Amino acid sequence: DFHHLAEEWSQWMIAMTWQVALLVAFVALVDRLCGRRLWPQVRAALWAVVFIKLLLPPTFSSPLSIAALVLPAATAAQASSAPLVTNEPGQPSNGVLVASAVLWAGGALGLVILRALRNRALVRALARDATTYAISAWQRTLLVECARRVGIRRIPQLVVTDRVASPAVAGLVRTRVLLPLSSVATFSRESLTHIYLHELMHVRRGDLWIEAGTLLVCAAYWFHPLVAWAARRASARRRGGQPLDC
């Protein structure tokens, strides 16, 4: 029933809170001490470990763990021999657990809705900018050439906008390469080729989808400040200092 689910949820979150805190501290220490000697891909992979951990159960005894799927008989035997847990003095009551679960769900859902509304507003703004600011023919042609070089068949839309300070990519379904209005006229063919190749590699690697998945994890752990901090570090490592818009 819902009370049982609330109890399982509380045990999950309590365990994950301290486990992730320790993991983030360890990864941050390694990144700081060894960062300059590590490849950028390795540093990005280090922070990815944090979010892989957030998707896994905190213990192997969890009914959602890999061990429970591989060894169902052993897990069932362990569960049948375990004593029945009841509310003991000092433990939160069922009402507190249910209220906490509802508060968590409301916060997570609210953050997802807020992000969706922000993305919708961004898409509409970029659609207006696409018809407002002119783009040179050679800039479009160069984007097509660069997309073919990196193996992308579906050419992203090129948009000049005043909503970014530096080149970026945005959009999961309809990908756009964004060029800042303030500096688009100063880009040479060589510099723009480098910009296109850099941004298109994010598209080819699926970084926008990774960023979207990270945002969902952050919404699920909205109460944990280190998760949001780790997400910013992970995005910076993937991006080289500039977060992606998705």
Side-chain angles (χ1 to χ4, degrees), residues 7-30:
E7 184 177 353
E8 290 287 337
W9 166 84
S10 67
Q11 293 175 359
W12 176 297
M13 288 301 181
I14 291 173
M16 290 295 286
T17 297
W18 67 264
Q19 290 178 17
V20 170
L22 291 178
L23 181 58
V24 169
F26 174 76
V27 171
L29 180 62
V30 173

Side-chain angles (χ1 to χ4, degrees), residues 67-84:
L69 299 176
V70 176
L71 301 173
T75 306
Q78 181 182 1
S80 62
S81 61
L84 204 52

